Amino acid sequence: MRIGLLTEGGYPYVSGEARLWCDRLVRGLEQHEFDIYALSRSQEQEDAGWLELPPHVGLVRTAPLWTARTGTGDDGACGGALGRRARRRFAALYAELAEAVVCAPGDGTGNGTGAASMVGSGAGLGVGAGGAPGEADRFAKALYGLAELARDEGGLGSALRSETAVRILERACRAPGARRAARGARVPDLLAFAGEVESALRPLSLDWYDDASGGSGGGGLGAVDLCHATSGGAAALPGLLAKRFHGVPLLVTEYGVQLRARYIAAGDAELSAPVRALLAAFHGRLAAEVYRQAAVITPGNAHARRWQERCGADRAKLRTVHPGMEASRFAEVGEREEPGEPDTLVWVGRIDPSKDLISLLHAFAEVRKEEPRARLRIVGAMPAGSGSGSGPGSCEGREAEAYLGHCKALAAQLFPDEATGLHAMGENPVSFEELGAPEAPGLAEVYGSGSVVVLSSVVEGFPISLVEAMFCGRATVSTDVGAVVEVIGGTGLVVPPRNPRALAEACVALLHDSDRRERLGAAARARALELFTVEQNVTAFRGIYLEIVSHCPVRREAVDDAGEPRPFAHPPEAHVPGRWTAPAAGGIGGAWLAGRSSGAGAPSWASAPGDSGGGREELAGVTRGGGEGDA
């Protein structure tokens, strides 16, 4: 089949998010043809170039989200000034979009004052169980209306940043029933919000949506069999339009929930309270629409799954698919009989305040009181070229450098250099090393050098370093954040975050008990090999691709360059007999999501054994249905 892979700030660029798992996914599914539609986040990311692409990638189209919109250009976006009739149409649609975003949730009191308050409840977003479906429908109607206007006019040009757009936002914020925080928005706030909306909706003006289905690599998103968005937000927006215009089913994968990342970014950007409230509402509405239209949603862990359900995702659409990581690079260390240095603790990760190395150093001071020979090895990576302008000279890079300097100063204060004798040179029990430096050992060797691997984060999504330590057969001590408990699953010790004493006690318990370390390490390696390998990830998506295409086939007449019908143009999964391939009353794929093909006429293998509507079915590492504790 032909897959349209939708990315933002990652693949096929050599830097950015999700590039590695996307590359492994594409290479692992070589029987399918992939078209890549990528949104870039910075000039640095584009200058760094692409990864080497496999031969079954037939088409790559890119567009920037970081440049100022000037009208037509060579980035796939188009559209100049709108005519009078189009401007009136735009004003009506944008007003409806603004009202749907600005309208206070629930009882109209406008008690959502920013991202933090909207995280607390689905009702605050207006998209959860207690939300207002009317506003969500108005948002969707306006969004698709703007998309159709952009298609008719060849793009929206600068209309989304125009004075008309700002005046419409101002009227919506001053209208009765507006959010309390939005009522205080001033002109600079409205300009900032209009700019963010223009950037988020830039995919509306791209020329990616034609349905010419000629030879290999021809056409646009209308010619693919399935759109796979590697995140929510802007990356999924082209998939929404492909579904709207051509009926192409949409699969959404989120290993880090885009909406949560938007909330955090809004706080870090030091935006005003009105702008944060408006952005939270806008991205909440967009996320709800993405989840509503997706055929299947694949969170990478239960932590992401809870966010998605809170933001409006239908539980019946959710399939937990854990990220796939390369296990072979850790095989040698994981299979060794030597346990590593028995008194050495290892920390590996990105240097960032969210990793809470300060608490780790204070915890290690407590460890040294019980184990004077203990050593702590901190091996960190500085932020560099993440696709968002980070690096040594960026604000993020400078913050990381300052934080690392503070940690080194604290270590020098807590642990004066020690010497074993009168004529020996003193040595600090805490060492700081840069991951990837020429003199540094390989990552597997770093994990293998210690007997216990520690994670001290206060904020964490999917803890990659823990999985790598598990591949190496190491016992772990971690803080209870993000998906840590789901990943560890009883094969390591977990303590509350920001609690140095609890962290120290757990580390001492393992340092004193070598048999326990060995048992936990062996169990951790077995769990990682079962759940977190590239093979299980690729197998899971292979099954999901076939499942979606068999339930939601795209009906189109496929022709070659000469206009002749192309034989075998449709994947065989689109012709599986049974009622489930027929469109349902609730839209494409509605029947199989609601009833899971349990009615008469469905093949027997399409239903889970003993399925009564509330059970779970597990296939190829994919957890289907059920509650939050899926892992």
Side-chain angles (χ1 to χ4, degrees):
M1 69 183 73
R2 186 174 177 182
I3 310 297
L5 192 66
L6 314 176
T7 70
E8 178 191 356
Y11 192 75
Y13 297 104
V14 298
S15 63
E17 302 168 1
R19 65 191 187 281
L20 294 180
W21 84 261
C22 286
D23 187 57
R24 292 164 181 162
L25 175 70
V26 172
R27 293 181 182 277
L29 296 176
E30 58 184 5
Q31 71 272 35
H32 300 312
E33 179 182 355
F34 281 85
D35 294 344
I36 311 299
Y37 294 83
L39 300 169
S40 67
R41 288 185 180 166
S42 69
Q43 181 67 59
E44 291 80 4
Q45 184 177 55
E46 293 194 356
D47 292 343
W50 297 351
L51 296 168
E52 182 180 355
L53 301 177
H56 56 285
V57 173
L59 175 70
V60 178
R61 304 189 71 174
T62 64
L65 289 181
W66 47 272
T67 56
R69 171 60 54 236
T70 57
T72 58
D74 58 0
D75 56 3
C78 50
L82 299 178
R84 182 184 303 173
R85 181 176 299 177
R87 287 198 302 270
R88 288 199 299 268
R89 185 177 167 192
F90 168 81
L93 292 168
Y94 195 80
E96 189 166 8
L97 184 84
E99 291 168 5
V101 170
V102 172
C103 180
D107 58 7
T109 59
N111 52 6
T113 58
S117 67
M118 294 179 188
V119 175
S121 70
L125 284 170
V127 298
E135 280 78 12
D137 291 340
R138 290 178 66 192
F139 179 88
K141 180 181 177 182
L143 179 68
Y144 296 128
L146 289 171
E148 291 166 1
L149 176 61
R151 181 178 62 172
D152 296 341
E153 298 295 327
L156 296 178
S158 58
L160 291 169
R161 283 183 180 266
S162 65
E163 181 180 352
T164 298
V166 175
R167 289 185 181 278
I168 291 172
L169 288 174
E170 184 176 22
R171 285 197 297 270
C173 291
R174 304 293 183 263
R179 298 171 186 270
R180 182 178 301 167
R183 296 173 200 165
R186 299 179 181 273
V187 172
D189 301 325
L190 298 174
L191 288 170
F193 177 62
E196 294 289 341
V197 170
E198 186 276 330
S199 178
L201 297 185
R202 194 168 295 181
L204 299 183
S205 296
L206 297 176
D207 57 353
W208 290 357
Y209 309 108
D210 57 277
D211 60 350
S213 54
S216 177
L221 285 172
V224 303
D225 299 302
L226 168 67
C227 284
H228 184 176
T230 59
S231 67
L237 190 50
L240 284 181
L241 302 190
K243 184 177 188 299
R244 177 75 175 185
F245 296 151
H246 306 292
V248 178
L250 173 63
L251 166 65
V252 177
T253 296
E254 287 188 304
Y255 287 135
V257 179
Q258 190 69 225
L259 187 59
R260 176 177 178 270
R262 295 287 184 185
Y263 290 150
I264 296 173
D268 294 342
E270 299 181 353
L271 298 172
S272 67
V275 177
R276 291 199 304 270
L278 291 171
L279 284 176
F282 172 80
H283 289 297
R285 299 284 190 216
L286 181 58
E289 181 61 18
V290 169
Y291 296 153
R292 184 169 68 165
Q293 296 298 333
V296 172
I297 306 165
T298 53
N301 51 71
H303 177 64
R305 183 183 184 122
R306 287 192 293 270
W307 266 86
Q308 292 170 338
E309 290 184 4
R310 198 63 173 270
C311 297
D314 182 359
R315 181 174 294 189
K317 295 182 179 182
L318 296 174
R319 315 281 193 275
T320 301
V321 181
H322 295 111
M325 299 176 60
E326 196 64 57
S328 58
R329 60 191 298 203
F330 305 104
E332 181 180 352
V333 172
E335 294 170 0
R336 285 180 189 169
E337 295 185 2
E338 298 84 3
E341 293 295 330
D343 300 318
T344 300
L345 304 176
V346 175
W347 180 94
V348 178
R350 176 172 51 87
I351 301 298
D352 187 90
S354 66
K355 304 302 180 182
D356 200 13
L357 293 178
I358 301 300
S359 289
L360 176 61
L361 291 171
H362 284 291
F364 186 62
E366 298 295 323
V367 172
R368 293 274 293 177
K369 295 177 182 179
E370 300 290 332
E371 279 289 335
R373 296 176 299 175
R375 295 288 185 269
L376 173 61
R377 189 175 185 183
I378 295 177
V379 184
M382 301 300 293
S386 66
S388 56
S390 62
S394 69
C395 179
E396 184 181 353
R398 291 191 297 271
E399 181 182 356
E401 289 282 2
Y403 184 71
L404 179 60
H406 180 55
C407 293
K408 289 181 176 180
L410 179 61
Q413 178 183 351
L414 292 174
F415 313 102
D417 290 349
E418 302 172 347
T420 56
L422 293 176
H423 303 288
M425 181 178 296
E427 180 181 352
N428 196 295
V430 179
S431 64
F432 291 85
E433 305 169 53
E434 183 178 356
L435 191 63
E439 68 278 4
L443 188 58
E445 293 298 328
V446 170
Y447 287 113
S449 66
S451 59
V452 178
V453 175
V454 185
L455 183 141
S456 55
S457 302
V458 294
V459 176
E460 194 73 51
F462 185 85
I464 293 176
S465 62
L466 280 189
V467 177
E468 292 172 341
M470 293 166 70
F471 280 135
C472 292
R474 291 298 177 261
T476 60
V477 175
S478 316
T479 49
D480 186 4
V481 292
V484 165
V485 173
E486 178 185 4
V487 168
I488 293 298
T491 66
L493 305 186
V494 181
V495 301
R498 292 194 179 97
N499 192 330
R501 177 167 296 182
L503 190 64
E505 290 176 355
C507 291
V508 170
L510 290 182
L511 289 176
H512 284 172
D513 193 339
S514 59
D515 290 340
R516 188 183 186 188
R517 291 199 308 268
E518 185 176 349
R519 290 196 305 271
L520 289 176
R525 176 167 168 78
R527 179 176 176 82
L529 290 174
E530 178 185 2
L531 296 178
F532 306 123
T533 63
V534 174
E535 291 75 19
Q536 70 82 22
N537 183 268
V538 171
T539 299
F541 279 113
R542 179 184 293 114
I544 290 172
Y545 282 2
L546 297 179
E547 179 184 12
I548 293 176
V549 171
S550 65
H551 290 85
C552 312
V554 183
R555 304 299 185 185
R556 67 168 70 91
E557 184 65 30
V559 296
D560 58 21
D561 295 334
E564 297 295 328
R566 280 199 298 148
F568 310 110
H570 299 293
E573 292 77 25
H575 302 284
V576 175
R579 291 193 320 172
W580 63 354
T581 55
I588 295 179
W592 68 278
L593 286 174
R596 304 236 267 276
S597 303
S598 58
S604 59
W605 50 265
S607 301
D611 188 7
S612 60
R616 298 196 310 177
E617 177 185 358
E618 296 187 2
L619 174 65
V622 185
T623 305
R624 176 175 181 174
E628 295 173 352
D630 307 334

